[in-house]
Structure formats: C-alpha cells, structure tokens
C-alpha cells in the first residue's frame, strides 16, 4: 500500500499565510469539500485558521457521490459548532446554487442588523485543490470569473470578485497540509485528483483504487468492466480489467499504466457509479 505521502509545495505555505491575513476582512467563510471524501477533503489547517468565523460548508461534486451518504454527511456537518449551514451542490448543473445565495443573503441581513454601518457581505472561499472552488465561484458570479480544471493547482493567487447581488467574494488557491498522518487520507485525495497523479504514479494509484473499489463497491466494478467475478486479489482484478479492455502491449504484456489511468479517469468522471469512499 502507498504510504508516507508528503505534498506541500511552497505555494501552499503562501496560501495558508494569505488566508490568515485576509480572514479579518471577511464576515463568513464558505468551505467546499468533496462529497465522495467528506473527511479527507476537509483540511484541519483551515479549521484551525478559521477559528470562530461563521462557516458555510458546501458538499461539492454531489452528482458523483452516493446520494444517501451525502444526505447523512450533510446532516452530520450541519450540527458542527460554527457551521451556519451545510448543503450539497451539483456544480455541473448548478443545482442548489440559489439556496446557497439565499443563505448568504440571510447572513448579510443578520450582519447588517448588528452593525452600525451597512455594507455587502464579504465571504472567503476555501478548500483543498481540485475540489470545485472555481466552478462554485463561476456559478455564484454567473460568469467565468475563475479558471477551472480537472487538476490541482489551477488557482494561483487570491481574487476579489463581486457577485450579482453585490456581495464581495475572495477566492484562494487550494491548500493541503504538510503530512497525512493517515495514509488513507492521502490516497482518497489522490483518487479524487487533489494530489497530482505523478506524485504517486498512475499505475500504483490505479491499483490502489481497484483494491478499494473491489472491497467496497465490487458490484459496480464488476459491472463497469464486465468481469466474470471479483477476486479478493486486486492485482487479479487489474489484470482482468486490462484483458477486457484490450490493454495489452507487445509480448502479451499487460499495460498497467493505461489500465490505471482508465480506472482513475472513469472513477473521477462518475462512469463506474456514484461512489462515496467515506461513510458517515
């Protein structure tokens, strides 16, 4: 099993400092997490930095996750101290974006009722890399204000943006933490694309994903790749997936690189099924 994953480039240290410096300027924080990995995609450093600042938690990519598990996580997170509201969002369709805007407008009304000077609500968007921050911002602004991409590290610096309702929004780059104490956390982040594939290697990462899916979602894995059966050995499942897809090189050697890439891409695209890797 892959372990000892360390991924903390210099720009993430700068992001931590940026968040800390700008927190005083905002009224609330919108933390976006991945519905497929609600624990692994919540950076403990962010919680430490935010402190008692009022927080809205968005479970993004809900269209890729098990809806029953997403509902459980939403209810559980809603009860956390400091969380004003938790809600799941399909950032591709924009479903529930209006509910988030309404909740933020209610927060603005509450803030202005308590202060002598009325002004638009100022919010900060935070989350780990490739969790959907830029897609969320584009939905909130109604235009392509932030760059998006299915890889970590697209947003490079802070951006102040104005929403259609006048609210001011600060976008920040994705931030991970220096070391993952639990190797499963690092793997989950890598499966979902929050850590660059070349850090762990596509072949090894694909093998680990096949192992996890074989244990937790064997029926989906079997159906997607038309396997005769699911083995309790991940390497046998990987071999059989390669054979079914014809990923064979010269000398009848299995192309593990291509097999790993295919399974990763199809998991991330929701083609294997709606999967949640962490149960509530």
């Amino acid at each position: 099993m892959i372990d000892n994953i360390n991924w903390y480039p210099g720009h993430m240290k700068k992001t931590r400092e940026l968040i800390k410096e700008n927190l005083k300027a905002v009224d609330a924080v919108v933390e976006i997490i991945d519905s497929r990995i609600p624990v692994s995609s919540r950076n403990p450093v962010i919680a430490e930095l935010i402190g008692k600042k009022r927080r809205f938690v968005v479970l993004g990519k809900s269209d890729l996750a098990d809806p029953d598990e997403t509902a459980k996580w939403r209810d559980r997170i809603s009860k956390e101290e400091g969380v004003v509201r938790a809600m799941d969002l399909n950032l591709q369709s924009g479903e529930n974006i209006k509910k988030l805007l309404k909740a933020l407008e209610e927060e603005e009304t509450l803030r202005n009722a308590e202060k002598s000077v009325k002004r638009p609500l100022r919010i900060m968007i935070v989350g780990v890399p490739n969790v959907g921050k830029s897609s969320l911002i584009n939905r909130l602004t109604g235009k392509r204000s932030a760059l998006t991409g299915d890889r970590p590290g697209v947003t490079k610096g802070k951006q102040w943006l104005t929403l259609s309702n006048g609210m001011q929004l600060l976008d920040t780059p994705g931030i991970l933490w220096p070391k993952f104490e639990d190797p499963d956390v690092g793997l989950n982040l890598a499966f979902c694309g929050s850590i660059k594939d070349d850090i762990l290697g596509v072949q090894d990462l694909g093998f680990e994903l096949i192992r996890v899916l074989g244990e937790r979602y064997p029926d989906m894995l079997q159906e997607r790749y038309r396997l005769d059966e699911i083995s309790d050995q991940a390497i046998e499942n990987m071999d059989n997936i390669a054979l079914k897809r014809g990923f064979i090189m010269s000398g009848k050697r299995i192309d593990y690189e291509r097999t790993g890439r295919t399974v990763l891409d199809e998991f991330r695209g929701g083609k294997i099924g709606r999967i949640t890797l962490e149960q509530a």
Side-chain angles (χ1 to χ4, degrees), residues 160-191:
W160 276 106
L161 303 167
T162 301
L163 306 189
S164 58
N165 59 9
M167 290 181 186
Q168 297 170 335
L169 180 152
L170 177 63
D171 178 24
T172 60
I175 176 176
L176 291 174
W177 50 113
K179 183 179 180 180
F180 308 121
E181 299 298 332
D182 183 349
D184 286 340
V185 169
L187 278 177
N188 287 336
L189 287 165
F191 292 154

PDB file of all heavy atoms in Angstrom, residues 160-191:
ATOM      1  N   TRP A 160     -10.413  38.995  -5.599  1.00  0.00           N
ATOM      2  CA  TRP A 160     -11.632  39.592  -5.057  1.00  0.00           C
ATOM      3  C   TRP A 160     -12.623  39.736  -6.199  1.00  0.00           C
ATOM      4  O   TRP A 160     -12.304  40.300  -7.244  1.00  0.00           O
ATOM      5  CB  TRP A 160     -11.352  40.964  -4.441  1.00  0.00           C
ATOM      6  CG  TRP A 160     -10.862  40.914  -3.026  1.00  0.00           C
ATOM      7  CD1 TRP A 160      -9.598  41.129  -2.586  1.00  0.00           C
ATOM      8  CD2 TRP A 160     -11.653  40.640  -1.856  1.00  0.00           C
ATOM      9  NE1 TRP A 160      -9.530  40.997  -1.219  1.00  0.00           N
ATOM     10  CE2 TRP A 160     -10.778  40.696  -0.740  1.00  0.00           C
ATOM     11  CE3 TRP A 160     -12.995  40.334  -1.635  1.00  0.00           C
ATOM     12  CZ2 TRP A 160     -11.213  40.471   0.564  1.00  0.00           C
ATOM     13  CZ3 TRP A 160     -13.421  40.111  -0.341  1.00  0.00           C
ATOM     14  CH2 TRP A 160     -12.540  40.183   0.743  1.00  0.00           C
ATOM     15  N   LEU A 161     -13.818  39.208  -6.009  1.00  0.00           N
ATOM     16  CA  LEU A 161     -14.857  39.242  -7.039  1.00  0.00           C
ATOM     17  C   LEU A 161     -16.142  39.791  -6.441  1.00  0.00           C
ATOM     18  O   LEU A 161     -16.374  39.680  -5.236  1.00  0.00           O
ATOM     19  CB  LEU A 161     -15.104  37.834  -7.594  1.00  0.00           C
ATOM     20  CG  LEU A 161     -13.890  37.113  -8.174  1.00  0.00           C
ATOM     21  CD1 LEU A 161     -14.204  35.650  -8.395  1.00  0.00           C
ATOM     22  CD2 LEU A 161     -13.443  37.768  -9.477  1.00  0.00           C
ATOM     23  N   THR A 162     -16.986  40.367  -7.282  1.00  0.00           N
ATOM     24  CA  THR A 162     -18.272  40.892  -6.840  1.00  0.00           C
ATOM     25  C   THR A 162     -19.392  40.059  -7.445  1.00  0.00           C
ATOM     26  O   THR A 162     -19.426  39.843  -8.664  1.00  0.00           O
ATOM     27  CB  THR A 162     -18.449  42.364  -7.253  1.00  0.00           C
ATOM     28  OG1 THR A 162     -17.388  43.139  -6.688  1.00  0.00           O
ATOM     29  CG2 THR A 162     -19.779  42.903  -6.748  1.00  0.00           C
ATOM     30  N   LEU A 163     -20.294  39.561  -6.587  1.00  0.00           N
ATOM     31  CA  LEU A 163     -21.423  38.778  -7.060  1.00  0.00           C
ATOM     32  C   LEU A 163     -22.511  39.693  -7.610  1.00  0.00           C
ATOM     33  O   LEU A 163     -22.496  40.906  -7.397  1.00  0.00           O
ATOM     34  CB  LEU A 163     -21.986  37.922  -5.924  1.00  0.00           C
ATOM     35  CG  LEU A 163     -21.005  37.019  -5.183  1.00  0.00           C
ATOM     36  CD1 LEU A 163     -21.759  36.090  -4.242  1.00  0.00           C
ATOM     37  CD2 LEU A 163     -20.150  36.220  -6.148  1.00  0.00           C
ATOM     38  N   SER A 164     -23.472  39.098  -8.294  1.00  0.00           N
ATOM     39  CA  SER A 164     -24.557  39.879  -8.890  1.00  0.00           C
ATOM     40  C   SER A 164     -25.395  40.595  -7.841  1.00  0.00           C
ATOM     41  O   SER A 164     -26.002  41.632  -8.117  1.00  0.00           O
ATOM     42  CB  SER A 164     -25.452  38.967  -9.740  1.00  0.00           C
ATOM     43  OG  SER A 164     -25.974  37.908  -8.944  1.00  0.00           O
ATOM     44  N   ASN A 165     -25.425  40.068  -6.621  1.00  0.00           N
ATOM     45  CA  ASN A 165     -26.198  40.710  -5.549  1.00  0.00           C
ATOM     46  C   ASN A 165     -25.361  41.698  -4.747  1.00  0.00           C
ATOM     47  O   ASN A 165     -25.811  42.212  -3.712  1.00  0.00           O
ATOM     48  CB  ASN A 165     -26.795  39.651  -4.615  1.00  0.00           C
ATOM     49  CG  ASN A 165     -25.731  38.770  -3.978  1.00  0.00           C
ATOM     50  OD1 ASN A 165     -24.539  39.033  -4.080  1.00  0.00           O
ATOM     51  ND2 ASN A 165     -26.168  37.709  -3.312  1.00  0.00           N
ATOM     52  N   GLY A 166     -24.147  41.973  -5.231  1.00  0.00           N
ATOM     53  CA  GLY A 166     -23.304  42.977  -4.586  1.00  0.00           C
ATOM     54  C   GLY A 166     -22.337  42.427  -3.557  1.00  0.00           C
ATOM     55  O   GLY A 166     -21.443  43.146  -3.093  1.00  0.00           O
ATOM     56  N   MET A 167     -22.480  41.177  -3.160  1.00  0.00           N
ATOM     57  CA  MET A 167     -21.558  40.598  -2.173  1.00  0.00           C
ATOM     58  C   MET A 167     -20.146  40.529  -2.742  1.00  0.00           C
ATOM     59  O   MET A 167     -19.956  40.409  -3.956  1.00  0.00           O
ATOM     60  CB  MET A 167     -22.014  39.190  -1.779  1.00  0.00           C
ATOM     61  CG  MET A 167     -23.270  39.160  -0.956  1.00  0.00           C
ATOM     62  SD  MET A 167     -23.699  37.451  -0.516  1.00  0.00           S
ATOM     63  CE  MET A 167     -25.295  37.737   0.272  1.00  0.00           C
ATOM     64  N   GLN A 168     -19.187  40.610  -1.839  1.00  0.00           N
ATOM     65  CA  GLN A 168     -17.785  40.549  -2.239  1.00  0.00           C
ATOM     66  C   GLN A 168     -17.199  39.209  -1.825  1.00  0.00           C
ATOM     67  O   GLN A 168     -17.376  38.759  -0.698  1.00  0.00           O
ATOM     68  CB  GLN A 168     -17.011  41.706  -1.600  1.00  0.00           C
ATOM     69  CG  GLN A 168     -17.512  43.061  -2.085  1.00  0.00           C
ATOM     70  CD  GLN A 168     -16.939  44.216  -1.290  1.00  0.00           C
ATOM     71  OE1 GLN A 168     -16.551  44.058  -0.138  1.00  0.00           O
ATOM     72  NE2 GLN A 168     -16.884  45.383  -1.902  1.00  0.00           N
ATOM     73  N   LEU A 169     -16.478  38.577  -2.752  1.00  0.00           N
ATOM     74  CA  LEU A 169     -16.013  37.214  -2.545  1.00  0.00           C
ATOM     75  C   LEU A 169     -14.511  37.131  -2.784  1.00  0.00           C
ATOM     76  O   LEU A 169     -13.997  37.643  -3.778  1.00  0.00           O
ATOM     77  CB  LEU A 169     -16.765  36.284  -3.499  1.00  0.00           C
ATOM     78  CG  LEU A 169     -16.472  34.791  -3.485  1.00  0.00           C
ATOM     79  CD1 LEU A 169     -17.707  34.021  -3.921  1.00  0.00           C
ATOM     80  CD2 LEU A 169     -15.300  34.446  -4.410  1.00  0.00           C
ATOM     81  N   LEU A 170     -13.818  36.477  -1.870  1.00  0.00           N
ATOM     82  CA  LEU A 170     -12.379  36.268  -2.008  1.00  0.00           C
ATOM     83  C   LEU A 170     -12.104  34.806  -2.304  1.00  0.00           C
ATOM     84  O   LEU A 170     -12.440  33.924  -1.505  1.00  0.00           O
ATOM     85  CB  LEU A 170     -11.646  36.677  -0.720  1.00  0.00           C
ATOM     86  CG  LEU A 170     -10.124  36.432  -0.725  1.00  0.00           C
ATOM     87  CD1 LEU A 170      -9.441  37.276  -1.792  1.00  0.00           C
ATOM     88  CD2 LEU A 170      -9.531  36.734   0.653  1.00  0.00           C
ATOM     89  N   ASP A 171     -11.504  34.544  -3.464  1.00  0.00           N
ATOM     90  CA  ASP A 171     -11.112  33.186  -3.833  1.00  0.00           C
ATOM     91  C   ASP A 171      -9.666  32.981  -3.404  1.00  0.00           C
ATOM     92  O   ASP A 171      -8.847  33.904  -3.462  1.00  0.00           O
ATOM     93  CB  ASP A 171     -11.237  33.005  -5.350  1.00  0.00           C
ATOM     94  CG  ASP A 171     -10.794  31.626  -5.813  1.00  0.00           C
ATOM     95  OD1 ASP A 171     -10.837  30.688  -4.989  1.00  0.00           O
ATOM     96  OD2 ASP A 171     -10.415  31.493  -6.984  1.00  0.00           O
ATOM     97  N   THR A 172      -9.338  31.780  -2.951  1.00  0.00           N
ATOM     98  CA  THR A 172      -7.966  31.455  -2.564  1.00  0.00           C
ATOM     99  C   THR A 172      -7.543  30.153  -3.222  1.00  0.00           C
ATOM    100  O   THR A 172      -8.376  29.301  -3.520  1.00  0.00           O
ATOM    101  CB  THR A 172      -7.836  31.298  -1.031  1.00  0.00           C
ATOM    102  OG1 THR A 172      -8.697  30.242  -0.589  1.00  0.00           O
ATOM    103  CG2 THR A 172      -8.213  32.576  -0.312  1.00  0.00           C
ATOM    104  N   PRO A 173      -6.250  29.953  -3.456  1.00  0.00           N
ATOM    105  CA  PRO A 173      -5.791  28.686  -4.031  1.00  0.00           C
ATOM    106  C   PRO A 173      -6.065  27.520  -3.089  1.00  0.00           C
ATOM    107  O   PRO A 173      -6.222  27.707  -1.880  1.00  0.00           O
ATOM    108  CB  PRO A 173      -4.277  28.907  -4.201  1.00  0.00           C
ATOM    109  CG  PRO A 173      -4.088  30.391  -4.172  1.00  0.00           C
ATOM    110  CD  PRO A 173      -5.152  30.908  -3.263  1.00  0.00           C
ATOM    111  N   GLY A 174      -6.099  26.311  -3.632  1.00  0.00           N
ATOM    112  CA  GLY A 174      -6.306  25.131  -2.797  1.00  0.00           C
ATOM    113  C   GLY A 174      -5.138  24.911  -1.861  1.00  0.00           C
ATOM    114  O   GLY A 174      -3.990  25.200  -2.193  1.00  0.00           O
ATOM    115  N   ILE A 175      -5.438  24.421  -0.675  1.00  0.00           N
ATOM    116  CA  ILE A 175      -4.378  24.219   0.308  1.00  0.00           C
ATOM    117  C   ILE A 175      -4.494  22.839   0.959  1.00  0.00           C
ATOM    118  O   ILE A 175      -5.559  22.451   1.433  1.00  0.00           O
ATOM    119  CB  ILE A 175      -4.411  25.336   1.387  1.00  0.00           C
ATOM    120  CG1 ILE A 175      -3.362  25.078   2.477  1.00  0.00           C
ATOM    121  CG2 ILE A 175      -5.785  25.493   1.987  1.00  0.00           C
ATOM    122  CD1 ILE A 175      -3.259  26.176   3.507  1.00  0.00           C
ATOM    123  N   LEU A 176      -3.385  22.106   0.934  1.00  0.00           N
ATOM    124  CA  LEU A 176      -3.283  20.847   1.658  1.00  0.00           C
ATOM    125  C   LEU A 176      -2.417  21.071   2.895  1.00  0.00           C
ATOM    126  O   LEU A 176      -1.947  22.169   3.137  1.00  0.00           O
ATOM    127  CB  LEU A 176      -2.670  19.759   0.769  1.00  0.00           C
ATOM    128  CG  LEU A 176      -3.530  19.272  -0.393  1.00  0.00           C
ATOM    129  CD1 LEU A 176      -2.749  18.302  -1.265  1.00  0.00           C
ATOM    130  CD2 LEU A 176      -4.802  18.605   0.116  1.00  0.00           C
ATOM    131  N   TRP A 177      -2.212  20.016   3.678  1.00  0.00           N
ATOM    132  CA  TRP A 177      -1.414  20.158   4.881  1.00  0.00           C
ATOM    133  C   TRP A 177      -0.127  19.362   4.713  1.00  0.00           C
ATOM    134  O   TRP A 177      -0.039  18.468   3.862  1.00  0.00           O
ATOM    135  CB  TRP A 177      -2.195  19.778   6.124  1.00  0.00           C
ATOM    136  CG  TRP A 177      -2.929  18.474   6.147  1.00  0.00           C
ATOM    137  CD1 TRP A 177      -2.649  17.398   6.927  1.00  0.00           C
ATOM    138  CD2 TRP A 177      -4.122  18.114   5.413  1.00  0.00           C
ATOM    139  NE1 TRP A 177      -3.571  16.402   6.722  1.00  0.00           N
ATOM    140  CE2 TRP A 177      -4.490  16.806   5.798  1.00  0.00           C
ATOM    141  CE3 TRP A 177      -4.923  18.771   4.460  1.00  0.00           C
ATOM    142  CZ2 TRP A 177      -5.592  16.149   5.275  1.00  0.00           C
ATOM    143  CZ3 TRP A 177      -6.009  18.114   3.929  1.00  0.00           C
ATOM    144  CH2 TRP A 177      -6.344  16.831   4.336  1.00  0.00           C
ATOM    145  N   PRO A 178       0.906  19.673   5.504  1.00  0.00           N
ATOM    146  CA  PRO A 178       2.244  19.137   5.229  1.00  0.00           C
ATOM    147  C   PRO A 178       2.360  17.623   5.199  1.00  0.00           C
ATOM    148  O   PRO A 178       3.075  17.072   4.382  1.00  0.00           O
ATOM    149  CB  PRO A 178       3.094  19.717   6.377  1.00  0.00           C
ATOM    150  CG  PRO A 178       2.373  20.940   6.796  1.00  0.00           C
ATOM    151  CD  PRO A 178       0.917  20.627   6.616  1.00  0.00           C
ATOM    152  N   LYS A 179       1.652  16.916   6.085  1.00  0.00           N
ATOM    153  CA  LYS A 179       1.808  15.468   6.143  1.00  0.00           C
ATOM    154  C   LYS A 179       0.491  14.813   6.515  1.00  0.00           C
ATOM    155  O   LYS A 179      -0.205  15.286   7.406  1.00  0.00           O
ATOM    156  CB  LYS A 179       2.880  15.080   7.169  1.00  0.00           C
ATOM    157  CG  LYS A 179       3.153  13.578   7.223  1.00  0.00           C
ATOM    158  CD  LYS A 179       4.240  13.262   8.243  1.00  0.00           C
ATOM    159  CE  LYS A 179       4.514  11.765   8.302  1.00  0.00           C
ATOM    160  NZ  LYS A 179       5.560  11.431   9.295  1.00  0.00           N
ATOM    161  N   PHE A 180       0.152  13.718   5.834  1.00  0.00           N
ATOM    162  CA  PHE A 180      -1.069  12.980   6.133  1.00  0.00           C
ATOM    163  C   PHE A 180      -0.741  11.878   7.139  1.00  0.00           C
ATOM    164  O   PHE A 180      -0.038  10.926   6.819  1.00  0.00           O
ATOM    165  CB  PHE A 180      -1.661  12.370   4.858  1.00  0.00           C
ATOM    166  CG  PHE A 180      -1.847  13.363   3.748  1.00  0.00           C
ATOM    167  CD1 PHE A 180      -1.211  13.185   2.528  1.00  0.00           C
ATOM    168  CD2 PHE A 180      -2.642  14.485   3.918  1.00  0.00           C
ATOM    169  CE1 PHE A 180      -1.373  14.100   1.506  1.00  0.00           C
ATOM    170  CE2 PHE A 180      -2.809  15.397   2.900  1.00  0.00           C
ATOM    171  CZ  PHE A 180      -2.178  15.211   1.696  1.00  0.00           C
ATOM    172  N   GLU A 181      -1.255  12.021   8.345  1.00  0.00           N
ATOM    173  CA  GLU A 181      -0.995  11.012   9.375  1.00  0.00           C
ATOM    174  C   GLU A 181      -1.627   9.671   8.999  1.00  0.00           C
ATOM    175  O   GLU A 181      -1.089   8.609   9.283  1.00  0.00           O
ATOM    176  CB  GLU A 181      -1.555  11.496  10.730  1.00  0.00           C
ATOM    177  CG  GLU A 181      -0.921  12.794  11.233  1.00  0.00           C
ATOM    178  CD  GLU A 181       0.574  12.661  11.472  1.00  0.00           C
ATOM    179  OE1 GLU A 181       1.026  11.533  11.762  1.00  0.00           O
ATOM    180  OE2 GLU A 181       1.286  13.674  11.369  1.00  0.00           O
ATOM    181  N   ASP A 182      -2.786   9.722   8.363  1.00  0.00           N
ATOM    182  CA  ASP A 182      -3.485   8.518   7.917  1.00  0.00           C
ATOM    183  C   ASP A 182      -3.235   8.365   6.416  1.00  0.00           C
ATOM    184  O   ASP A 182      -3.646   9.211   5.621  1.00  0.00           O
ATOM    185  CB  ASP A 182      -4.984   8.652   8.202  1.00  0.00           C
ATOM    186  CG  ASP A 182      -5.772   7.405   7.820  1.00  0.00           C
ATOM    187  OD1 ASP A 182      -5.204   6.521   7.150  1.00  0.00           O
ATOM    188  OD2 ASP A 182      -6.961   7.330   8.180  1.00  0.00           O
ATOM    189  N   PRO A 183      -2.561   7.303   5.976  1.00  0.00           N
ATOM    190  CA  PRO A 183      -2.288   7.132   4.546  1.00  0.00           C
ATOM    191  C   PRO A 183      -3.544   7.054   3.694  1.00  0.00           C
ATOM    192  O   PRO A 183      -3.517   7.396   2.508  1.00  0.00           O
ATOM    193  CB  PRO A 183      -1.487   5.825   4.484  1.00  0.00           C
ATOM    194  CG  PRO A 183      -1.777   5.125   5.768  1.00  0.00           C
ATOM    195  CD  PRO A 183      -2.000   6.199   6.781  1.00  0.00           C
ATOM    196  N   ASP A 184      -4.668   6.610   4.290  1.00  0.00           N
ATOM    197  CA  ASP A 184      -5.919   6.546   3.531  1.00  0.00           C
ATOM    198  C   ASP A 184      -6.384   7.934   3.103  1.00  0.00           C
ATOM    199  O   ASP A 184      -7.012   8.092   2.053  1.00  0.00           O
ATOM    200  CB  ASP A 184      -7.010   5.866   4.353  1.00  0.00           C
ATOM    201  CG  ASP A 184      -6.808   4.360   4.453  1.00  0.00           C
ATOM    202  OD1 ASP A 184      -6.080   3.809   3.601  1.00  0.00           O
ATOM    203  OD2 ASP A 184      -7.350   3.738   5.385  1.00  0.00           O
ATOM    204  N   VAL A 185      -6.092   8.934   3.918  1.00  0.00           N
ATOM    205  CA  VAL A 185      -6.467  10.317   3.573  1.00  0.00           C
ATOM    206  C   VAL A 185      -5.731  10.751   2.317  1.00  0.00           C
ATOM    207  O   VAL A 185      -6.316  11.300   1.375  1.00  0.00           O
ATOM    208  CB  VAL A 185      -6.163  11.277   4.746  1.00  0.00           C
ATOM    209  CG1 VAL A 185      -6.286  12.732   4.296  1.00  0.00           C
ATOM    210  CG2 VAL A 185      -7.099  11.005   5.913  1.00  0.00           C
ATOM    211  N   GLY A 186      -4.428  10.491   2.278  1.00  0.00           N
ATOM    212  CA  GLY A 186      -3.654  10.841   1.090  1.00  0.00           C
ATOM    213  C   GLY A 186      -4.126  10.109  -0.139  1.00  0.00           C
ATOM    214  O   GLY A 186      -4.222  10.689  -1.226  1.00  0.00           O
ATOM    215  N   LEU A 187      -4.451   8.827   0.011  1.00  0.00           N
ATOM    216  CA  LEU A 187      -4.954   8.048  -1.121  1.00  0.00           C
ATOM    217  C   LEU A 187      -6.289   8.592  -1.615  1.00  0.00           C
ATOM    218  O   LEU A 187      -6.495   8.743  -2.824  1.00  0.00           O
ATOM    219  CB  LEU A 187      -5.110   6.575  -0.729  1.00  0.00           C
ATOM    220  CG  LEU A 187      -3.855   5.702  -0.781  1.00  0.00           C
ATOM    221  CD1 LEU A 187      -4.175   4.303  -0.287  1.00  0.00           C
ATOM    222  CD2 LEU A 187      -3.277   5.648  -2.191  1.00  0.00           C
ATOM    223  N   ASN A 188      -7.204   8.877  -0.696  1.00  0.00           N
ATOM    224  CA  ASN A 188      -8.508   9.394  -1.090  1.00  0.00           C
ATOM    225  C   ASN A 188      -8.371  10.704  -1.859  1.00  0.00           C
ATOM    226  O   ASN A 188      -9.059  10.926  -2.868  1.00  0.00           O
ATOM    227  CB  ASN A 188      -9.396   9.590   0.133  1.00  0.00           C
ATOM    228  CG  ASN A 188      -9.900   8.283   0.710  1.00  0.00           C
ATOM    229  OD1 ASN A 188      -9.969   7.277   0.006  1.00  0.00           O
ATOM    230  ND2 ASN A 188     -10.267   8.285   1.981  1.00  0.00           N
ATOM    231  N   LEU A 189      -7.502  11.583  -1.383  1.00  0.00           N
ATOM    232  CA  LEU A 189      -7.271  12.849  -2.077  1.00  0.00           C
ATOM    233  C   LEU A 189      -6.681  12.610  -3.466  1.00  0.00           C
ATOM    234  O   LEU A 189      -7.053  13.277  -4.434  1.00  0.00           O
ATOM    235  CB  LEU A 189      -6.338  13.739  -1.246  1.00  0.00           C
ATOM    236  CG  LEU A 189      -6.953  14.355   0.010  1.00  0.00           C
ATOM    237  CD1 LEU A 189      -5.869  14.890   0.929  1.00  0.00           C
ATOM    238  CD2 LEU A 189      -7.939  15.461  -0.344  1.00  0.00           C
ATOM    239  N   ALA A 190      -5.789  11.644  -3.551  1.00  0.00           N
ATOM    240  CA  ALA A 190      -5.185  11.326  -4.845  1.00  0.00           C
ATOM    241  C   ALA A 190      -6.206  10.702  -5.799  1.00  0.00           C
ATOM    242  O   ALA A 190      -6.237  11.026  -6.990  1.00  0.00           O
ATOM    243  CB  ALA A 190      -3.996  10.384  -4.646  1.00  0.00           C
ATOM    244  N   PHE A 191      -7.049   9.794  -5.288  1.00  0.00           N
ATOM    245  CA  PHE A 191      -8.088   9.192  -6.128  1.00  0.00           C
ATOM    246  C   PHE A 191      -8.951  10.281  -6.775  1.00  0.00           C
ATOM    247  O   PHE A 191      -9.340  10.161  -7.936  1.00  0.00           O
ATOM    248  CB  PHE A 191      -9.001   8.286  -5.303  1.00  0.00           C
ATOM    249  CG  PHE A 191      -8.351   7.038  -4.765  1.00  0.00           C
ATOM    250  CD1 PHE A 191      -8.847   6.426  -3.621  1.00  0.00           C
ATOM    251  CD2 PHE A 191      -7.250   6.473  -5.400  1.00  0.00           C
ATOM    252  CE1 PHE A 191      -8.258   5.274  -3.122  1.00  0.00           C
ATOM    253  CE2 PHE A 191      -6.650   5.319  -4.910  1.00  0.00           C
ATOM    254  CZ  PHE A 191      -7.159   4.719  -3.760  1.00  0.00           C
TER     255      PHE A 191
END
